[in-house]
Amino acid sequence: CFALWGLAFKPGTDDMREATSRVVMEALWQRGATLSVYDPVAMEETKKIYGERGDLIYAKNSQDALNNSDALIIVTEWMDFKNPDFIQIKRRLKNPIIFDGRNMFELDEMKAHHFEYYAVGRGQAL
C-alpha cells in the first residue's frame, strides 16, 4: 500500500483533469498496488472519478493516509504538507520511505530524520 498526498493538479483547487496524481495512481494500480489517498480539497472529485474500489482507501487526513502504508508519495505541494511531524510519519509508515514529486523537504533534513527520500530531480537522501 502506498500513501499518496495530493490529488489535485495544483494547490488551491479540486481540479483533477490533468493531475499527475491520476497518472501515478493508475500506473500503481496496473502493478497491483493499493493506495491510501488524501487531499485537503479534491477528495470528493477523486470519489467522482474513481468511486469505491478495493484498491483505493480515502483517508480522513494526511496522517491517516500513512497507516499501514509501505511508503509515502507526495504529488501536490499543499501548504498542509510543508511542515509535517516526521516522527509521526515514521511511526505510521511501515518503511521510512518518501517519494517527493514536489521537492518539499531538504535532503539534509530527510537524512537527519533517517528517511529514504527520493526528491524528483534532486537525487536521493539515505
Side-chain angles (χ1 to χ4, degrees):
C1 183
F2 289 94
L4 196 143
W5 284 0
L7 301 166
F9 90 96
K10 69 177 184 176
T13 183
D14 68 350
D15 190 346
M16 292 183 62
R17 287 175 290 175
E18 301 290 327
T20 301
S21 64
R22 295 180 69 173
V23 174
V24 171
M25 292 166 68
E26 292 166 14
L28 288 169
W29 283 328
Q30 286 180 348
R31 290 161 179 80
T34 298
L35 303 172
S36 179
V37 301
Y38 176 72
D39 187 284
V41 176
M43 295 297 279
E44 289 303 315
E45 186 63 21
T46 306
K47 289 176 184 176
K48 287 178 190 173
I49 295 168
Y50 294 110
E52 297 296 327
R53 45 187 296 165
D55 54 3
L56 178 58
I57 301 159
Y58 296 103
K60 293 178 183 157
N61 56 54
S62 61
Q63 291 297 305
D64 284 351
L66 303 170
N67 294 338
N68 298 313
S69 293
D70 294 291
L72 168 61
I73 302 168
I74 301 171
V75 181
T76 310
E77 66 274 18
W78 287 97
M79 289 301 293
D80 297 12
F81 306 152
K82 287 231 183 236
N83 295 302
D85 182 339
F86 291 113
I87 294 168
Q88 280 300 315
I89 291 174
K90 281 184 81 171
R91 284 186 183 146
R92 291 175 181 251
L93 284 176
K94 289 181 183 177
N95 305 294
I97 301 170
I98 299 175
F99 298 94
D100 185 353
R102 297 298 176 203
N103 295 307
M104 296 198 44
F105 312 123
E106 295 301 321
L107 295 175
D108 290 343
E109 182 178 28
M110 295 292 89
K111 192 179 273 190
H113 284 289
H114 305 287
F115 278 95
E116 188 172 333
Y117 179 70
Y118 300 89
V120 175
R122 289 193 304 161
Q124 175 185 5
L126 294 175

